[in-house]
Amino acid sequence: MVSTLTSPSASQAAATGGAHIGIQGVSHWFEVSGGVLQVLDGIDLQVRPGEFVALLGPSGCGKSTLLRLVAGLEPATTGSITQDGAPITRPDPSRIVVFQDPTLYPWRSVWDNVALGLQARGVLKAQRGRVDEALRLVGLTDFAKAFPHQLSGGMAQRVALARALVNDPQLLVLDEPLGKLDSLTRIAMQSELVNLWQRAGFSALLVTHDVEEALFLANRVIVLSDRPARIAAELVVDLPYPRHRGDPRLAELRHEALKHLGLDATW
């Protein structure tokens, strides 16, 4: 599997080409029968180049909506979202979304699923080697000719990650990407995701309901309030990689995160 690396410095991460995402005064409403529903309220957040930021918050508070806005899948009602200073107005290959469901095409091999982005852009013939490299990064070189029904859940999610990495994204937008995996596979995939981030140098914005997962993966954890979501707290995870789940500092940060979520009385 991918070897464990030390955490890159800020200057090293910036040099790799990770995006700088600026979210300023973002509020968002949905039209619903009988009126409008506000889901975000005045969100201000910066994701620095090469940084891994996780979003925590109650179910339905607007975390995934914020990811959709950052990905350019829809515009914010008010406020601005920029990538390296330029407004985000539509989807772009430099920002890739990885969802909870890998959504692989069952009639295509692993290799062909990973190649989809390059094929859609008409550059596959010239850049076939990128597919092989992406599969190598996620440890699936030997499964290039396999089909999705032959893969475990964790392997299918690795294919989805390879499909994202083949586009050399500056930002990986992760919407509960490990949420459907069993607990043991999820723990293993968390370590693999850190290794991929360190190797590739992209910026990452993750939504998760798992406090420990957020603290294990991210440089910073942003805790959101109930809908309409506001930033309730920002936790800096001041620990090097690789992290150890029994670290007392992680226990302290977990308790602090749960306090902001109103759940500390159970710990």
Side-chain angles (χ1 to χ4, degrees), residues 79-203:
S80 67
I81 304 179
T82 59
Q83 177 176 331
D84 300 325
I88 293 175
T89 58
R90 62 181 184 276
D92 187 90
S94 66
R95 297 183 304 276
I96 302 295
V97 184
V98 178
F99 294 104
Q100 188 176 87
D101 190 332
T103 61
L104 305 179
Y105 289 102
W107 61 87
R108 296 180 69 116
S109 69
V110 165
W111 197 97
D112 288 330
N113 267 284
V114 174
L116 274 171
L118 300 180
Q119 186 177 38
R121 289 155 52 198
V123 297
L124 178 58
K125 185 175 180 180
Q127 300 185 17
R128 292 179 63 87
R130 295 180 65 154
V131 180
D132 297 325
E133 173 62 12
L135 288 173
R136 186 188 68 78
L137 281 171
V138 300
L140 288 178
T141 297
D142 293 340
F143 290 85
K145 295 182 180 180
F147 286 85
H149 74 274
Q150 298 172 307
L151 306 176
S152 67
M155 292 168 71
Q157 196 58 275
R158 283 192 229 160
V159 176
L161 288 169
R163 186 174 56 191
L165 293 172
V166 78
N167 294 288
D168 194 22
Q170 293 178 286
L171 175 71
L172 210 55
V173 180
L174 302 158
D175 193 357
E176 287 276 7
L178 311 180
K180 289 188 175 180
L181 302 178
D182 65 86
S183 59
L184 293 179
T185 302
R186 184 167 185 159
I187 288 171
M189 285 293 296
Q190 288 168 1
S191 296
E192 292 176 14
L193 184 54
V194 168
N195 291 333
L196 289 173
W197 164 65
Q198 291 177 318
R199 282 193 167 200
F202 49 76
S203 305

Side-chain angles (χ1 to χ4, degrees), residues 211-212 215 235 245 247-261 264 267:
V211 174
E212 290 191 354
L215 295 170
L235 307 180
R245 298 174 194 275
D247 192 306
R249 177 60 178 152
L250 279 183
E252 292 175 9
L253 288 166
R254 181 175 65 243
H255 188 269
E256 187 173 351
L258 290 170
K259 178 180 68 177
H260 289 294
L261 292 168
D264 58 315
W267 289 79

Side-chain angles (χ1 to χ4, degrees), residues 23 25-30 37-43 55 60-70 75-78 81 224-231:
I23 303 169
V26 166
S27 297
H28 195 66
W29 289 261
F30 289 121
L37 175 68
Q38 186 175 5
V39 291
L40 299 173
D41 185 14
I43 301 294
L55 303 177
C61 75
K63 301 182 298 297
S64 292
T65 296
L66 183 57
L67 289 195
R68 290 180 59 82
L69 302 183
V70 170
T77 307
T78 63
I81 304 179
L224 300 178
S225 68
D226 282 315
R227 187 179 65 237
R230 304 175 184 87
I231 293 179

